Amino acid sequence: MQRISAYVRTLNSTFIQSFVPYLTTRTMASNNDAKTSFENKKQEYMNMSLEERKKSFKSTTKSINEIPTWAEYWFKNKSIISVKVSNQNAKAGMDVAKKISFWMGDITTLEVDAIVNAANSVLIPGGGVDGAIHKAAGPYLKMECATLGRCPAGEAKITGGYSLPAKYVIHTVGPVGKIPEVLEKCYKNCLDLAKVYGLRTIAFPCISTGVYGYPQEAAARVALSTVTNYLINDIDSMDRVIFCLFLNSDKEIYEKLLPSYFDLN
């Protein structure tokens, strides 16, 4: 019986040793095929004009020219915006106000160079804006994300946009709860990555304010201060930064806070 058991173990060991390299090779080949597949599709979309890509869009898109800058919005609506404006500590002027917008709508419809995805650390499709972006972009986005590894909170990684109007998606992972220094890193790292890739227009969702539990107004203050300071220090880095809002309460918060960051008198 011992001889039989030893013989069986030898057979099992021989089988495993011969099968594992085969399995590993097949897995690597499968991964390489997937990588080749999304890279080909990514390049295909990158080479298309916006008009050509529009044929594959599932919904109406929104041109950046249809969205007023903060300067335009303020001068048109300041008489009806019921907030007390304190500009004593305002650092930003007209040059920055012409590069910032807030807009309520679906971020997946924006015709910008890049939209930002409020992602999870493993970069797999989730709920909220993350799920909406993956659904609109199509399956190749998930395939590319699978090659990027983990994304720690505060960091950012970039992929193609595929079936989105935006050519790129910048994925960032916000903090769970109110951690301003991490949320600030999200916005700054996204802008830095956009600059590296030569992108001129970008749209942000309200990072971390959903299931991650960051209070809306506190998150808006971090977003506004980080972006305005970034543009003050490097005004030529971007043509437009859009804060894409989903809730009426977000709109009220941004409309209330924005005037205090600008001296437009």
Side-chain angles (χ1 to χ4, degrees):
M1 182 64 73
Q2 290 179 345
R3 290 181 180 178
I4 293 173
S5 297
Y7 177 68
V8 170
R9 285 197 298 272
T10 301
L11 284 177
N12 287 341
S13 176
T14 302
F15 172 76
I16 291 170
Q17 289 175 13
S18 62
F19 182 69
V20 166
Y22 168 78
L23 183 61
T24 302
T25 301
R26 286 295 299 271
T27 302
M28 290 175 64
S30 177
N31 288 341
N32 288 335
D33 288 344
K35 185 174 182 180
T36 301
S37 178
F38 83 71
E39 285 183 339
N40 289 341
K41 184 58 68 173
K42 181 178 178 179
Q43 195 59 47
E44 179 184 330
Y45 275 102
M46 291 295 177
N47 291 336
M48 290 182 185
S49 67
L50 179 60
E51 293 304 316
E52 289 173 323
R53 290 189 293 121
K54 276 185 177 181
K55 296 175 183 177
S56 66
F57 298 161
K58 297 177 182 179
S59 58
T60 304
T61 61
K62 186 75 171 179
S63 167
I64 195 169
N65 295 325
E66 301 175 74
I67 301 173
T69 65
W70 171 244
E72 293 168 336
Y73 187 92
W74 170 249
F75 286 116
K76 183 178 179 180
N77 297 283
K78 63 180 180 179
S79 62
I80 59 174
I81 295 176
S82 56
V83 294
K84 294 180 179 179
V85 181
S86 176
N87 301 96
Q88 293 181 353
N89 298 315
K91 297 179 181 179
M94 183 65 72
D95 53 348
V96 177
K98 289 180 177 179
K99 296 200 172 192
I100 285 180
S101 299
F102 74 94
W103 176 73
M104 279 195 69
D106 182 352
I107 197 170
T108 68
T109 66
L110 286 173
E111 297 175 10
V112 289
D113 291 337
I115 60 172
V116 174
N117 179 24
N120 51 61
S121 61
V122 290
L123 300 182
I124 60 174
V129 69
D130 185 16
I133 288 173
H134 273 274
K135 182 178 179 180
Y140 293 102
L141 179 58
K142 180 180 178 182
M143 293 169 64
E144 184 173 3
C145 283
T147 68
L148 299 179
R150 296 178 63 86
C151 184
E155 299 303 313
K157 297 191 176 186
I158 192 167
T159 64
Y162 301 97
S163 293
L164 291 163
K167 278 198 170 185
Y168 292 90
V169 179
I170 298 178
H171 308 262
T172 191
V173 181
V176 177
K178 187 179 178 181
I179 311 176
E181 61 272 21
V182 176
L183 187 59
E184 181 179 338
K185 282 180 63 180
C186 289
Y187 285 94
K188 186 178 185 301
N189 283 331
C190 286
L191 292 169
D192 282 343
L193 196 51
K195 184 178 178 181
V196 167
Y197 276 76
L199 309 182
R200 306 296 304 173
T201 55
I202 188 172
F204 286 98
C206 297
I207 300 167
S208 278
T209 59
V211 294
Y212 281 20
Y214 208 116
Q216 288 170 272
E217 184 166 330
R221 290 182 184 278
V222 173
L224 287 169
S225 62
T226 305
V227 170
T228 53
N229 285 333
Y230 193 96
L231 292 176
I232 288 168
N233 293 323
D234 192 358
I235 190 64
D236 294 325
S237 62
M238 301 296 295
D239 291 334
R240 187 79 70 90
V241 178
I242 300 172
F243 296 103
C244 186
L245 315 178
F246 186 69
L247 302 173
N248 285 325
S249 52
D250 290 321
K251 179 179 180 294
E252 292 169 0
I253 288 168
Y254 274 78
E255 198 172 63
K256 179 181 77 171
L257 295 180
L258 268 163
S260 63
Y261 288 85
F262 297 89
D263 183 3
L264 300 183
N265 296 322

